[in-house]
């Protein structure tokens, strides 16, 4: 990447832009709080560096040359970008800075808590607001600008207009049950064998509901007769431990319980339930520094899993 000529300083651009705006060196000097010779010197230095005349001095009032008009567009863009950078840093350091993210149930137990902890220990730490709930709720907040990004399963293609998805990893659903569940004594359990038992399933608006319905239909099950619809992980865990219910849930949500044996995954092939997990943002939106830092923390947590 070519470097910027180190001889060009911020004062050169400021004097050039203000001289054009004021229509002369003297009013530009007054506006900048400099002397007229200082502004004239900066303009002469800039023209010498560029090797062209930026102003037509043959008229009573200074006017831009064609080279000057061309350079003005880029000088204004450079100053504008610098001003935006300063404003972004100031906003990031503000006591009012806050990052708002939506966490789907898939990631609210493992990935998001670790990411928030990592972010909170970093230099851009600020207030964090975590919104949970089903995908339609979180996506509506994202579109309205009420939250900055959503972490969880990839939304259906038909609702992705105006949104952007970054894939981080994929994972399956599991059928979690309590230790001692009757189906654990079945040497070859299948999806058909769970029909007599209560089933904890996501509600119809939840992002993984179509996946659950697809794998059930593939097994010849149009509908489970004893469905309990919920997006509450705490309720589902408590109910699964209390009863013989079968819990349809993303593996990461119950990973700790499966590792300790508090819950057990039925040995049923759930390969067809694999889904993409990642970060959803508004398309074309530019994240501020704290939000970008929290997004980076999510990526780092996933990479280190």
């Amino acid at each position: 990447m070519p470097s910027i000529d180190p001889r060009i300083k911020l004062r050169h651009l400021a004097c050039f832009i203000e001289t054009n705006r004021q229509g002369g060196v003297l009013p530009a000097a007054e506006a900048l709080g400099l002397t007229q010779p200082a502004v004239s010197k900066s303009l002469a230095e800039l023209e010498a560096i560029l090797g062209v005349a930026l102003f037509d001095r043959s008229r009573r009032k200074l006017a831009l040359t064609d080279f000057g008009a061309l350079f003005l567009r880029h000088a204004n863009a450079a100053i504008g970008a610098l001003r935006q950078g300063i404003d972004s840093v100031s906003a990031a350091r503000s006591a009012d800075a806050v990052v708002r993210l939506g966490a789907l149930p898939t990631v609210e137990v493992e990935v998001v808590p670790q990411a928030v902890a990592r972010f909170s220990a970093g230099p851009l730490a600020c207030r964090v607001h975590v919104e949970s709930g089903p995908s339609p709720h979180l996506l509506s907040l994202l579109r309205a600008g009420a939250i900055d990004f959503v972490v969880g399963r990839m939304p259906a293609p038909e609702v992705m207009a105006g949104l952007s998805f970054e894939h981080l990893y994929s994972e399956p659903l599991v059928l979690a049950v309590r230790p001692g569940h009757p189906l654990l004594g079945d040497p070859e359990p299948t999806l058909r064998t769970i029909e007599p038992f209560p089933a904890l399933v996501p509600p119809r608006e939840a992002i993984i509901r179509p996946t659950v319905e697809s794998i059930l239909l593939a097994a010849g099950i149009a509908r489970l007769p004893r469905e309990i619809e919920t997006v509450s992980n705490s309720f589902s865990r408590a109910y699964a431990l209390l009863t013989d219910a079968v819990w349809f849930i993303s593996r990461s949500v119950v990973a700790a319980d499966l590792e300790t044996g508090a819950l057990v995954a039925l040995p049923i092939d759930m390969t067809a339930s694999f889904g993409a997990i990642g970060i959803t943002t508004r398309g074309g939106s530019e994240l501020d520094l704290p939000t970008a830092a929290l997004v980076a923390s999510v990526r780092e947590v996933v990479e280190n899993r």
Side-chain angles (χ1 to χ4, degrees), residues 100-102 129-150 163 282:
R100 297 177 172 87
L101 74 146
H129 175 85
V130 180
E131 184 78 21
S132 60
S135 182
H137 168 65
L138 296 182
L139 293 182
S140 67
L141 293 179
L142 178 63
R143 292 183 187 280
I147 57 178
D148 302 306
F149 64 100
V150 175
L163 301 177
R282 291 184 295 279

Side-chain angles (χ1 to χ4, degrees), residues 14-253:
C15 289
F16 169 63
I17 292 172
E18 197 61 34
T19 297
N20 175 69
R21 181 182 292 116
Q22 298 292 340
V25 173
L26 181 57
E30 293 174 349
L32 293 169
L34 301 173
T35 65
Q36 182 176 350
V39 173
S40 296
K41 180 182 179 183
S42 291
L43 293 176
E45 289 175 349
L46 181 59
E47 290 179 323
I49 294 168
L50 296 176
V52 295
L54 298 174
F55 290 100
D56 181 355
R57 293 173 173 81
S58 64
R59 307 176 189 178
R60 184 166 185 174
K61 183 177 180 181
L62 287 181
L64 289 173
T65 64
D66 289 342
F67 287 118
L70 175 63
F71 187 69
L72 179 65
R73 293 201 300 271
H74 299 287
N76 278 328
I79 294 296
L82 181 59
R83 186 176 294 111
Q84 287 181 346
I86 294 170
D87 291 343
S88 296
V89 172
S90 297
R93 296 179 59 194
S94 169
D96 296 328
V98 58
V99 180
R100 297 177 172 87
L101 74 146
L104 285 164
T106 308
V107 295
E108 68 178 359
V109 172
E110 184 181 20
V111 172
V112 168
Q114 293 181 39
V116 172
R118 182 183 290 262
F119 168 76
S120 297
L124 292 171
C126 66
R127 288 191 301 127
V128 177
H129 175 85
V130 180
E131 184 78 21
S132 60
S135 182
H137 168 65
L138 296 182
L139 293 182
S140 67
L141 293 179
L142 178 63
R143 292 183 187 280
I147 57 178
D148 302 306
F149 64 100
V150 175
V151 186
R153 285 208 169 211
M154 182 175 69
E158 60 267 23
V159 300
M160 280 298 292
L163 301 177
S164 177
F165 181 79
E166 176 187 348
H167 176 264
L168 297 179
Y169 65 98
S170 298
E171 72 171 15
L173 301 180
V174 296
L175 302 178
V177 297
R178 65 173 179 83
H181 192 284
L183 285 177
L184 293 175
D186 188 330
E188 294 184 357
T190 66
L191 286 170
R192 296 304 299 261
T193 62
I194 73 172
E195 285 188 273
F197 297 91
L200 292 158
V201 297
R204 306 211 181 287
E205 68 271 16
I207 200 167
I208 64 171
R209 180 61 183 245
T211 301
V212 172
E213 292 179 343
S214 294
I215 61 176
L216 289 174
L217 285 173
I221 304 171
R223 181 178 178 275
L224 292 170
R226 301 177 64 186
E227 287 183 354
I228 300 170
E229 296 185 345
T230 180
V231 294
S232 172
N233 291 333
S234 55
F235 168 79
S236 296
R237 182 180 187 276
Y239 197 80
L241 291 172
L242 180 67
T243 69
D244 287 336
V246 178
W247 185 11
F248 287 73
I249 189 63
S250 295
R251 173 172 286 277
S252 62
V253 174

